[in-house]
Amino acid sequence: MTIDRRKVLGLLGLSGAAAGEAAAATVKGLHDGPVSFDHGVASGDPLQDRVILWTRVTAPGAKLPVGVRWDVANDPDFKTIVRQGHATTDAGRDHTVKVDVTGLKPGTEYHYRFRASRAGQPVGEAVVGRTRTLPTGATKDVVLAVASCSLYPNGYFNAYDAIAKLPRVDAVLHLGDYIYEYGAAPGDYGMNSPTAKTRMPDPPHEIVTLDDYRRRHRIYKTDPMLQAAHARAPWIVVWDDHETANDSWIGGAENHTPKTEGDWATRKAAALKAYYEWMPIREPSAGALPEAAWRDFQFGDVVTLLMTETRLTARSQQLDYETDLPIVDGKPDVAAFVAKWKDPSRRMMGQDQERWLAGQVGASVKAGTAWQVLGNQVVMARVATPNLQKTMGEEKFDALVAKLPDYARKRVAQSVAMSAYEIPSNLDAWDGYPADRQRVYDIFTAAQARPIVLAGDSHMFWANELWNDGGDKRVAVEFGATSITSPGYGDLMPGAPIGEAFVQRNKEVRYSHPSAKGFVLLTLEHGKATGDLVAVSTILEPKYETSVLKRFVVTPAAGGGVEALKEG
């Protein structure tokens, strides 16, 4: 496939200075009407000497560019301002502002604010946040909050509020599904929730156009709990599928119908333009495609964080059991499916990203960095379909199934039948691309890395040990973050021992929780890393409590790799 970079950048509106940093003095006229900051602030992509600052101005009726003043200070009262400047924005980027502030000190907490600017002077109330640059050299520890999957109508963003209230968090990693593309019809995803009536997605239809995607980002960032989490610490983000459309891949998506929804490239470009406008992510570098969002972050000598992109740059179309598992003489032809499934040409990452990953992992190990952490969208462990009937016993299982709606009863019956075979439960995860996964494991092994893989997408908590294809070497561990609000298997079948069934069925799965909502709090030190699976008590009302469901500790193994997960 030939990609015209100039055409793609033009569609995205990124061919010029898209970050809204044009000096106010260069603009002949500025909007002089009322301005507010209804969508809060955010910071992101921190480096040792810089960080992205973001906001969005609400300026009703503004036809001229809007001026904004930004300040960065060492103290919350802004008595010691270390950097400041002006920016402008307009409807061409949905009145969002993004500033890449440079000249900062490493490992330092800063406070920042935005105010409206007129005639070069700040006016009106300020909107404020705090952020932090990355440390250099010898570093004691690093604390990361890991989040994923926030479905607006399905519940309150209590987990975001819990992140905002953490006594310490150096950065928030969001691994995708920050927004969802579905509409607000009664049968749409999440609209059967008791909270849906007061948390209606906007627009009320499935989002397809640039205006649609912008409106969906807007409604999300009106949420006060999400605003608080953004204002608390810098975010490091990557999209998964729902920022474009469900189960997206390089050439389309499960939830994209060209006949009624138009060209996939146009829809994808609209989604990415809105994403770059509304998220605190650094703009694409010169010569890079916007889809190529992989990048690295160095937290002193403790962590090399490698954020990957596995949706839009190289992913082959997902296999599907209904179409790719043939039935011969009334029985599934598993051998024919396995031949397709293990085809080495099926990719999650392209060669460019794979080379980048190998170079970064190798350099990190040579530099003596304690941990190599992969920020990744989907679960990497081998997870075959569990046999819930076997785990529960036939009588209890039958009683459970009898209470389910027809569509759910059919899915559960299919899962029991599939559990007889050594094939994946989720073909959209790394399990659907085993040859490409092994290439990643080979990179880890060749470098003698000490990898920790982070995953989102599944709406479940996971603590997994990752083994090579031969099953004779543990190469990494994986912590899977459950959703902020999106429903999981446990919501479909409350009380069923689904997590236990996954553990019983799969060597690599040490722990799984199918219904809790929350985030992973990962604390990394020299010699050990601790993963706390933090749950909120409810998403159906804004009053909640938090608890640590499980704590796992991992230590590095001699000669690379990691030791077994231990409960802490």
Side-chain angles (χ1 to χ4, degrees):
M1 173 188 248
T2 301
I3 301 176
D4 185 334
R5 179 180 178 275
R6 182 172 295 178
K7 181 178 180 181
V8 173
L9 290 177
L11 285 169
L12 287 169
L14 296 172
S15 53
E21 291 190 69
T26 65
V27 180
K28 293 182 179 179
L30 290 175
H31 172 71
D32 60 0
V35 169
S36 58
F37 297 91
D38 299 346
H39 300 91
V41 295
S43 67
D45 276 12
L47 299 177
Q48 284 75 18
D49 66 340
R50 66 192 62 201
V51 69
I52 295 291
L53 302 183
W54 177 95
T55 193
R56 197 255 183 177
V57 297
T58 300
K63 295 182 180 180
L64 295 172
V66 180
V68 174
R69 162 75 172 266
W70 57 267
D71 300 298
V72 177
N74 287 326
D75 61 292
D77 296 324
F78 291 88
K79 293 179 179 178
T80 309
I81 294 176
V82 297
R83 288 288 182 273
Q84 62 184 203
H86 292 269
T88 61
T89 186
D90 56 29
R93 57 175 297 106
D94 204 19
H95 288 104
T96 60
V97 177
K98 193 185 291 186
V99 182
D100 196 350
V101 180
T102 61
L104 303 176
K105 294 181 179 180
T108 302
E109 181 171 277
Y110 290 99
H111 299 262
Y112 63 95
R113 67 186 177 190
F114 288 95
R115 290 177 289 177
S117 177
R118 306 227 175 91
Q121 297 299 317
V123 295
E125 294 293 322
V127 59
V128 301
R130 55 176 161 162
T131 190
R132 189 175 187 85
T133 52
L134 302 188
T136 59
T139 301
K140 180 183 176 183
D141 56 12
V142 174
V143 179
L144 305 173
V146 186
S148 177
C149 303
S150 44
L151 182 62
Y152 188 80
N154 202 58
Y156 291 98
F157 289 166
N158 292 337
Y160 284 146
D161 188 64
I163 290 173
K165 292 175 179 175
L166 288 171
R168 178 183 169 189
V169 56
D170 298 325
V172 179
L173 310 189
H174 199 288
L175 301 180
D177 295 344
Y178 181 93
I179 63 168
Y180 280 76
E181 80 275 22
Y182 301 114
D188 285 339
Y189 193 45
M191 293 308 295
N192 62 345
S193 170
T195 62
K197 289 183 179 180
T198 58
R199 294 179 66 83
M200 294 286 288
D202 180 65
H205 53 262
E206 183 177 329
I207 55 177
V208 177
T209 68
L210 175 58
D211 182 62
D212 290 342
Y213 282 101
R214 284 171 165 173
R215 287 171 63 183
R216 188 60 54 87
H217 277 280
R218 283 180 214 161
I219 192 68
Y220 268 69
K221 278 199 171 71
T222 60
D223 186 278
M225 294 180 174
L226 177 55
Q227 286 189 13
H230 271 302
R232 171 66 180 84
W235 284 42
I236 299 173
V237 302
V238 68
W239 54 74
D240 191 26
D241 51 341
H242 291 290
E243 286 87 351
T244 50
N246 182 58
D247 286 0
S248 51
W249 55 286
I250 191 171
E254 178 277 331
N255 193 30
H256 179 75
T257 306
K259 184 178 291 186
T260 57
E261 295 176 323
D263 176 61
W264 169 246
T266 300
R267 181 178 185 179
K268 180 178 67 173
L272 288 182
K273 177 171 171 55
Y275 188 90
Y276 276 104
E277 288 173 346
W278 278 85
M279 299 298 287
I281 182 174
R282 194 163 272 106
E283 300 292 319
S285 59
L289 283 169
E291 294 94 327
W294 58 84
R295 57 211 196 279
D296 63 281
F297 300 88
Q298 188 67 34
F299 292 77
D301 60 353
V302 176
V303 181
T304 300
L305 172 64
L306 302 167
M307 298 296 286
T308 62
E309 198 291 313
T310 60
R311 281 291 172 191
L312 303 178
T313 51
R315 180 192 278 253
S316 306
Q317 186 171 9
Q318 299 87 341
L319 296 180
D320 180 86
Y321 284 123
E322 290 189 9
T323 56
D324 295 303
L325 181 59
I327 304 298
V328 179
D329 296 331
K331 296 182 179 180
D333 187 348
V334 176
F337 170 79
V338 168
K340 287 184 179 181
W341 171 44
K342 294 190 174 181
D343 182 348
S345 69
R346 294 182 48 72
R347 302 305 301 254
M348 285 277 272
M349 292 183 182
Q351 291 182 353
D352 287 347
Q353 186 173 186
E354 194 174 279
R355 283 192 292 267
W356 165 83
L357 181 64
Q360 292 292 332
V361 170
S364 176
V365 173
K366 289 179 181 177
T369 305
W371 299 99
Q372 292 73 48
V373 175
L374 210 66
N376 150 76
Q377 294 92 330
V378 295
V379 171
M380 192 170 280
R382 290 175 181 82
V383 184
T385 302
N387 189 330
L388 192 58
Q389 184 180 44
K390 181 179 179 180
T391 301
M392 296 183 69
E394 190 168 344
E395 184 177 344
K396 290 182 178 179
F397 177 79
D398 290 344
L400 169 70
V401 170
K403 298 177 182 178
L404 297 176
D406 289 343
Y407 78 91
R409 192 178 299 122
K410 180 180 178 182
R411 286 176 60 184
V412 172
Q414 287 174 338
S415 72
V416 170
M418 295 296 287
S419 69
Y421 307 102
E422 292 295 328
I423 50 180
S425 64
N426 183 3
L427 293 170
D428 184 58
W430 278 95
D431 238 356
Y433 305 80
D436 222 17
R437 175 175 57 194
Q438 184 57 42
R439 282 189 278 264
V440 173
Y441 291 172
D442 290 343
I443 288 171
F444 292 159
T445 302
Q448 297 185 323
R450 296 163 293 278
I452 297 175
V453 175
L454 303 176
D457 180 69
S458 69
H459 310 171
M460 298 174 65
F461 275 126
W462 300 91
N464 302 324
E465 295 177 353
L466 309 183
W467 294 71
N468 66 1
D469 266 352
D472 60 349
K473 181 176 176 57
R474 188 189 299 105
V475 295
V477 298
E478 177 175 47
F479 291 110
T482 188
S483 65
I484 298 296
T485 56
S486 304
Y489 291 120
D491 300 293
L492 180 65
M493 295 178 285
I498 299 169
E500 180 184 345
F502 271 112
V503 172
Q504 289 181 359
R505 179 72 171 85
N506 295 282
K507 169 186 176 180
E508 297 193 355
V509 180
R510 289 288 309 279
Y511 178 78
S512 174
H513 197 295
S515 59
K517 305 294 180 273
F519 60 94
V520 172
L521 188 65
L522 183 63
T523 302
L524 300 120
E525 307 168 65
H526 292 277
K528 74 172 183 177
T530 305
D532 288 331
L533 311 185
V534 183
V536 294
S537 57
T538 183
I539 59 171
L540 299 182
E541 57 178 331
K543 186 178 180 180
Y544 68 94
E545 297 178 350
T546 60
S547 62
V548 176
L549 293 182
K550 285 285 183 178
R551 171 175 292 160
F552 287 93
V553 177
V554 59
T555 55
V562 294
E563 300 289 354
L565 283 168
K566 295 180 180 179
E567 288 196 41

